[in-house]
Amino acid sequence: LPRADFVMGNHEQALLDSRKRADMSEFAAAAHNWSESNLEGRYDEAFTSRFRMKIVNDIFCAVHASPCEPGEWSYLYSSYGARDAFMAEDFHLCFLGHTHIPAFFTESSSQLFLEEGTVLQLEKEERYFVNPGSVGQPRDGNPKASFCIFDPDEGTISFQRCEYDAEREARDIIDAGLPKY
């Protein structure tokens, strides 16, 4: 994907700077150690040159955790947490992740645990945080991969799910010697 921009997440940052692993769980640290030994530094230049803490264009912004302090890895779980982020940044639409839970927040409401197929119609006068969930390690009790499709022409965001072989992925993780968690 030579023209694509990528958002730097806490796990990518921890691969580049082992000091960032200090606040991670023992399971995440084990995964980073495994990744580091398998990647052998081959992608460090790609991470530093292609991944950004915040991507901003005329239509949306994208961050991993929060646009306020993208490298602090705060979790945006509630309208209360979103309120501070809304006050700190000026945007109409901001995509984020980090919680692995599909959700959206506006300045006036929030909706967690979105059902597959939910379509959000964006209003021009409203501001939005949109979390598509997670393709890997969903944390909302639904094992399907979670993502969204943004149609800027229609002003819609469709929340989607798809099946994948989660059991095989789990076996591959265990076979690699990583923690079962």
Side-chain angles (χ1 to χ4, degrees):
L1 303 171
R3 296 183 306 143
D5 291 319
F6 300 97
V7 174
M8 176 76 73
N10 54 314
H11 290 267
E12 290 82 16
Q13 190 180 51
L15 280 172
L16 294 172
D17 183 352
S18 61
R19 295 172 297 178
K20 298 293 183 181
R21 297 179 203 165
D23 295 330
M24 294 185 156
S25 73
E26 65 181 283
F27 307 115
H32 283 98
N33 292 336
W34 179 89
S35 295
E36 189 174 56
S37 67
N38 282 279
L39 295 174
E40 298 174 332
R42 290 188 305 257
Y43 299 98
D44 289 0
E45 184 179 332
F47 283 151
T48 56
S49 66
R50 303 276 311 276
F51 283 68
R52 305 280 177 262
M53 294 301 274
K54 184 190 295 187
I55 297 170
V56 179
N57 61 39
D58 294 338
I59 301 170
F60 64 86
C61 70
V63 296
H64 183 72
S66 171
C68 300
E69 297 174 306
E72 295 301 313
W73 313 118
S74 57
Y75 288 93
L76 211 83
Y77 279 119
S78 68
S79 297
Y80 178 77
R83 184 179 64 215
D84 293 340
F86 278 124
M87 291 182 349
E89 294 286 327
D90 183 27
F91 59 85
H92 172 63
L93 173 61
C94 182
F95 291 99
L96 52 84
H98 198 47
T99 66
H100 295 239
I101 299 173
F104 74 88
F105 302 93
T106 68
E107 286 183 289
S108 57
S109 68
S110 67
Q111 179 70 45
L112 288 171
F113 305 112
L114 296 169
E115 295 296 321
E116 180 177 344
T118 297
V119 177
L120 173 62
Q121 180 68 53
L122 301 176
E123 304 294 333
K124 287 184 180 182
E125 57 280 345
E126 188 65 85
R127 296 172 67 204
Y128 299 88
F129 279 118
V130 174
N131 187 331
S134 180
V135 172
Q137 296 185 10
R139 295 183 183 156
D140 62 351
N142 185 335
K144 292 180 180 179
S146 177
F147 59 97
C148 70
I149 299 172
F150 171 47
D151 183 336
D153 295 328
E154 295 294 321
T156 59
I157 298 173
S158 174
F159 291 84
Q160 301 294 321
R161 298 283 186 150
C162 71
E163 298 276 350
Y164 72 102
D165 194 345
E167 288 183 20
R168 188 177 103 202
E169 293 297 322
R171 281 193 310 272
D172 288 348
I173 290 167
I174 292 166
D175 289 348
L178 292 162
K180 290 180 181 181
Y181 175 81

